[in-house]
Amino acid sequence: MRRDRLLVAVTLVTLLAADVHFVLIPRLKTWYHLSREICACRGDNVSLGNSVPTTDLWLLNQSSTLVSAEQDSKLERLFRHSLYNIRLPELGPDDLILQHEELMNYHKRKMTRWERLKKFYIEAAAASNITIPDNPVNFDPEASWLRFHLGINRYALYSRDDSSIDRLLKDMETANVISADYTQDEKALKGACDCSQVVKPSGLHLKLALKLQDFGKAMFKPMRQERHEETPENFFYFVDFQRHNAEIAAFHLDRVLDFRRVPPVSGRFVNVTGEILYITHNADLRNVFFTSPANNTCFFAKCLYVCKSEYAVCGHPDLLEGSMSAYLPGLSIAPRISIPNPWIRSYSFTGREEWEVNPLYCNTIKTLYPYNSGNRLLNIIDMAIFDFLTGMVCSHLCQVFNIYIISKGFVISLFSCRFGRYFHDEMSILAPLTQCCVIKRSTLLRLELLARSEYRLSDVMRESLSRDPLSPVLTEAHLEALDRRLEHVLRTVGRCVKKLGETQVVVTDFVESQRGTTIHPATNNR
């Protein structure tokens, strides 16, 4: 009898526990979130205290309706937020880098030349008893990489709702590779380097230019280090390897921040034998391949990065993972200029730059062209925040399309990498922000948004990176470091606001229309 009572009691307790877990707790969570949304209108600032009340009030008032996490993803909710749907002015011919007819004619000429040279290469290789496959090229006017090039405009490399970007990522992951070669900057060196130099003239990352079957082009950076391997603390920033997974993560972070200044990057497994060795037309590249004692196919670069074959990269036995970065339009049709970053670092063991010893350095920069008007300085500060989040110390060059050198064009981020140390936050990267104490209003609002639990930077980055074929791209420690560094940025802005006032620190770069839902960029001449 007692045993029956015990069984009944256990059954009742189990049912009660199930009811609490599956019914009561979810309802309490829903009520809790709703109550927080209702209280949010009081203007409590979750990131900067009471330093920026107007900015935070706008952010809270403009927040999209909170949807249950079980029904909707944080990333999708983030991209539906009004801050990620700012309506730009209608783009005219002068706002686009390229025109359709110009781009098509250019690539038709390139394709004709490619077919002619390919025939020559195949004949020359046959005379040397080398077989090079004759891969057909399918030039598609609607190819994703052409759509990407045509979408580059005054404001960003691509639009938020540009569907060709996701297509381009997929194409770089799966499209057939028809040619492999060294990149142009490496060819310019012609194999010359001085192994006594600390800093090599072409960087520290072995990279190749791969041509795809639809005539698209991507830069392949192979894996040199495992994801969990940290940069040794005694390494100088200018001798550290770039990481292929950091290239991927930088693109996703750039999109999450809504900067859209990093060219699309996708992970990919490349067969180094079938997709590089057998199809390359470059004899120098073909000659650096060898088979390791573990029977893996390896290759290295001839004295462009390091002077020993011990630094080669190897497949397993042929497959090698790496990043595929979409090329920008050729310099002949979309010329760009590289401008030294005002906060460039010293590439020596002992030297120091002026900004490292002069806390008033920004006062001088503000008087110099082109930082004394327009938004160039604000874009440099955006780039500094982006670099700080990734741990990118040596961002020494800024690239700008020639037609936007004088006007308010954006700064292209082509050297996105690092994520080398999750345990260390290099505060000197934030020098442009700490010394100038100015920031775009739109940038600050998005940073505050990503600091909130409904979105949280690490959560949306984890979700975004999960879509890459090389997932997991970052370790959890690096994702957590993003949240920590974001708080550092917001605290820095808070100190500036406390010192100078909001109107001097937060620069309005867009205005809300009278309809209350459409937002248009505002002209800033600060």
Side-chain angles (χ1 to χ4, degrees):
M1 195 68 176
R2 292 180 179 176
R3 187 174 300 173
D4 294 339
R5 290 179 180 176
L6 179 61
L7 181 60
V8 171
V10 170
T11 303
L12 291 175
V13 170
T14 302
L15 292 174
L16 179 60
D19 187 63
V20 170
H21 181 74
F22 293 106
V23 179
L24 184 59
I25 291 179
R27 288 184 178 179
L28 289 174
K29 285 183 177 180
T30 301
W31 294 335
Y32 172 72
H33 287 303
L34 286 175
S35 64
R36 292 192 66 185
E37 287 295 300
I38 293 172
C39 293
C41 62
R42 298 176 184 173
D44 298 329
N45 194 317
V46 298
S47 300
L48 297 178
N50 295 320
S51 300
V52 196
T54 305
T55 299
D56 192 57
L57 182 61
W58 186 93
L59 172 65
L60 294 171
N61 288 339
Q62 290 291 329
S63 294
S64 56
T65 303
L66 183 61
V67 183
S68 174
E70 288 79 11
Q71 299 175 0
D72 197 6
S73 73
K74 287 188 176 183
L75 187 64
E76 291 173 352
R77 266 190 281 130
L78 179 72
F79 288 163
R80 285 202 303 267
H81 195 280
S82 56
L83 280 172
Y84 289 79
N85 291 276
I86 296 176
R87 179 181 295 180
L88 298 174
E90 293 296 328
L91 296 176
D94 293 338
D95 294 318
L96 297 173
I97 297 291
L98 296 169
Q99 302 302 315
H100 184 274
E101 184 177 357
E102 173 191 17
L103 184 63
M104 294 302 144
N105 290 336
Y106 170 78
H107 282 290
K108 285 177 182 177
R109 294 193 300 269
K110 292 265 292 185
M111 186 173 177
T112 301
R113 180 174 179 272
W114 164 262
E115 293 287 2
R116 184 173 63 252
L117 292 177
K118 184 179 69 172
K119 182 179 179 181
F120 168 77
Y121 287 137
I122 292 175
E123 292 175 353
S128 303
N129 294 323
I130 299 174
T131 301
I132 297 179
D134 184 7
N135 293 312
V137 180
N138 300 320
F139 182 75
D140 179 11
E142 297 298 321
S144 58
W145 62 274
L146 285 174
R147 296 292 102 193
F148 164 55
H149 288 178
L150 288 171
I152 300 175
N153 58 68
R154 179 188 300 275
Y155 304 102
L157 287 177
Y158 57 90
S159 302
R160 163 63 59 196
D161 56 353
D162 189 350
S163 60
S164 67
I165 300 303
D166 289 332
R167 286 173 48 212
L168 178 58
L169 295 175
K170 190 66 177 177
D171 289 343
M172 289 192 295
E173 174 194 347
T174 61
N176 292 333
V177 179
I178 62 171
S179 176
D181 201 351
Y182 288 125
T183 56
Q184 288 299 322
D185 59 337
E186 294 155 359
K187 287 183 178 181
L189 294 173
K190 297 181 180 179
C193 80
D194 179 2
C195 290
S196 65
Q197 293 180 359
V198 175
V199 183
K200 304 300 181 291
S202 184
L204 291 166
H205 205 302
L206 174 59
K207 52 187 182 291
L208 299 175
L210 303 184
K211 192 177 293 294
L212 306 179
Q213 191 167 10
D214 63 357
F215 214 62
K217 195 175 179 182
M219 182 183 295
F220 177 69
K221 293 188 178 181
M223 181 177 73
R224 299 295 298 269
Q225 292 178 307
E226 298 289 343
R227 288 156 177 71
H228 65 275
E229 292 184 272
E230 298 297 308
T231 301
E233 60 182 8
N234 289 322
F235 267 36
F236 286 91
Y237 53 86
F238 46 74
V239 297
D240 189 18
F241 284 117
Q242 297 177 15
R243 292 161 175 78
H244 73 294
N245 61 311
E247 297 280 342
I248 302 169
F251 163 67
H252 286 261
L253 177 62
D254 174 73
R255 188 156 64 166
V256 164
L257 294 174
D258 204 39
F259 290 160
R260 289 170 280 130
R261 300 166 193 168
V262 176
V265 184
S266 174
R268 174 166 177 158
F269 285 95
V270 169
N271 186 308
V272 295
T273 301
E275 295 180 306
I276 299 178
L277 175 60
Y278 288 168
I279 64 174
T280 182
H281 299 161
N282 190 316
D284 290 335
L285 176 58
R286 192 181 301 114
N287 291 335
V288 298
F289 275 80
F290 64 94
T291 302
S292 73
N295 206 33
N296 293 324
T297 303
C298 309
F299 67 99
F300 60 95
K302 274 192 174 181
C303 209
L304 297 178
Y305 307 89
V306 287
C307 301
K308 298 179 180 179
S309 61
E310 290 91 323
Y311 292 95
V313 294
C314 301
H316 299 281
D318 294 294
L319 286 182
L320 175 63
E321 74 170 70
S323 63
M324 296 280 283
S325 305
Y327 267 81
L328 293 176
L331 293 175
S332 59
I333 58 173
R336 303 180 294 277
I337 186 171
S338 294
I339 304 172
N341 188 330
W343 281 266
I344 191 173
R345 292 177 179 270
S346 171
Y347 285 81
S348 70
F349 293 125
T350 57
R352 302 187 73 184
E353 296 293 330
E354 182 182 351
W355 66 266
E356 297 180 274
V357 296
N358 180 11
L360 302 178
Y361 174 75
C362 188
N363 292 342
T364 302
I365 296 299
K366 288 179 178 179
T367 64
L368 302 177
Y369 174 84
Y371 307 104
N372 56 356
S373 64
N375 59 3
R376 184 63 55 78
L377 180 60
L378 292 170
N379 285 336
I380 293 293
I381 291 173
D382 277 352
M383 189 169 69
I385 293 171
F386 176 79
D387 289 342
F388 176 70
L389 293 174
T390 65
M392 176 66 174
V393 180
C394 53
S395 188
H396 54 281
L397 290 176
C398 311
Q399 285 209 357
V400 182
F401 287 107
N402 282 12
I403 63 174
Y404 298 143
I405 291 176
I406 299 177
S407 62
K408 302 176 179 65
F410 63 94
V411 176
I412 309 169
S413 298
L414 288 181
F415 309 101
S416 307
C417 52
R418 289 307 182 261
F419 286 100
R421 299 175 184 172
Y422 67 81
F423 57 86
H424 176 66
D425 302 330
E426 183 53 59
M427 299 303 297
S428 64
I429 304 175
L430 281 181
L433 175 62
T434 56
Q435 293 181 356
C436 298
C437 265
V438 291
I439 188 173
K440 290 180 183 177
R441 185 171 180 236
S442 61
T443 298
L444 176 59
L445 289 172
R446 284 193 294 268
L447 294 177
E448 288 185 317
L449 193 69
L450 290 166
R452 297 171 61 183
S453 60
E454 298 97 303
Y455 302 98
R456 189 174 285 112
L457 179 56
S458 60
D459 290 342
V460 294
M461 276 293 290
R462 186 184 298 105
E463 182 181 345
S464 184
L465 291 170
S466 67
R467 303 176 182 181
D468 190 87
L470 300 186
S471 178
V473 176
L474 293 179
T475 64
E476 284 299 313
H478 281 297
L479 291 172
E480 293 171 3
L482 286 174
D483 292 331
R484 184 180 68 243
R485 292 166 184 168
L486 175 58
E487 289 301 322
H488 279 310
V489 175
L490 292 175
R491 281 197 292 270
T492 300
V493 176
R495 286 193 291 269
C496 287
V497 170
K498 185 176 181 180
K499 177 183 177 181
L500 302 174
E502 179 188 349
T503 56
Q504 292 297 314
V505 175
V506 184
V507 179
T508 299
D509 58 323
F510 64 87
V511 294
E512 188 178 0
S513 71
Q514 294 179 352
R515 288 179 291 176
T517 55
T518 305
I519 304 172
H520 303 273
T523 301
N524 169 50
N525 294 314
R526 180 166 179 164

